[in-house]
Amino acid sequence: LDTLLDQNAYIIVAAGQDESFGGGLDAHCQAASTDKIKRDRIAGVGRSLAADGINSTLANITEHTLANDRIIFVAPGIRVADNAVSPPRDVTLPGAYAAAAVAGLLAANPPHISLTNKTLRIGGLAKFYRAAELPQLLQSRVLALESRQGFRIVRGITASTNTAWTQITTRRIVDYAKFGVRSAANSYIGRLNNERVRGAM
């Protein structure tokens, strides 16, 4: 991750990693988003495949420790068609792939567009959560996926415990505004601090 610190990468997905890698992603996003490095970013992480198994319980996911507005925790994993084998077959992939699908949808939309109720182009879900379980996942800061006229994002939220930063759009809009201010002010760095220059800025 350190090699990405000075790169213009806004959305980070840890390929093949699960929530146990969330702490590393969190630290990376916090370091990159400082006023020193100025590379504001968010990261997506998902559940492990074993955690989405048939014997898993809701507590297995609601007790996660991720708690940051720059982390998006996605569940469950997804099912897709593997066309590389003959005959093609469906395979179940862990949450990192669901997080990648969410990141792709996020990248395709402007900062002010919410992911709430948006559909994902996936083949299926690794686990189906009941209607009564979905609110519990949302309260536990999980970006949950459901099957309802397609496969949809229940609510576009971060893993933040601070309600002011719960919505992904809030985090993205603020980062977009910071980028705009820095870009506009950059050409004035090193100029005289006088009334003319301040007025022009």
Side-chain angles (χ1 to χ4, degrees):
L1 291 175
D2 288 345
T3 61
L4 296 173
L5 274 177
D6 59 351
Q7 301 299 312
N8 290 322
Y10 180 68
I11 304 172
I12 305 295
V13 179
Q17 301 295 324
D18 57 30
E19 66 264 35
S20 63
F21 194 63
L25 283 171
D26 184 1
H28 169 74
C29 289
Q30 294 301 323
S33 303
T34 60
D35 288 335
K36 179 180 179 181
I37 298 180
K38 301 180 180 68
R39 298 292 196 280
D40 299 289
R41 61 190 52 171
I42 57 178
V45 67
R47 297 265 303 186
S48 67
L49 192 58
D52 280 327
I54 192 169
N55 294 320
S56 66
T57 65
L58 197 63
N60 294 147
I61 183 170
T62 56
E63 293 175 356
H64 74 89
T65 58
L66 300 175
N68 191 277
D69 61 300
R70 294 192 178 279
I71 297 294
I72 302 169
F73 182 33
V74 184
I78 60 176
R79 293 184 61 80
V80 296
D82 183 2
N83 295 317
V85 297
S86 183
R89 60 187 174 89
D90 283 347
V91 294
T92 302
L93 301 174
Y97 292 84
V102 170
L105 185 60
L106 197 64
N109 285 282
H112 65 282
I113 300 299
S114 173
L115 295 188
T116 297
N117 203 41
K118 296 290 189 297
T119 56
L120 288 176
R121 305 217 27 188
I122 56 177
L125 299 177
K127 182 179 179 66
F128 292 92
Y129 293 105
R130 297 189 300 272
E133 294 176 322
L134 292 174
Q136 297 179 59
L137 292 173
L138 298 180
Q139 291 169 9
S140 300
R141 310 176 311 283
V142 178
L143 187 147
L145 308 178
E146 67 171 336
S147 176
R148 180 173 51 80
Q149 295 180 327
F151 302 102
R152 297 178 180 271
I153 296 171
V154 179
R155 188 175 171 208
I157 58 174
T158 69
S160 177
T161 54
N162 184 341
T163 55
W165 296 101
T166 297
Q167 300 294 326
I168 296 174
T169 48
T170 304
R171 177 72 274 166
R172 294 190 74 200
I173 289 169
V174 170
D175 286 348
Y176 185 73
K178 288 168 64 178
F179 177 81
V181 170
R182 285 169 177 159
S183 298
N186 189 55
S187 60
Y188 294 94
I189 295 176
R191 294 192 180 187
L192 291 173
N193 183 9
N194 58 31
E195 185 176 350
R196 179 183 60 81
V197 173
R198 289 194 300 271
M201 185 172 68

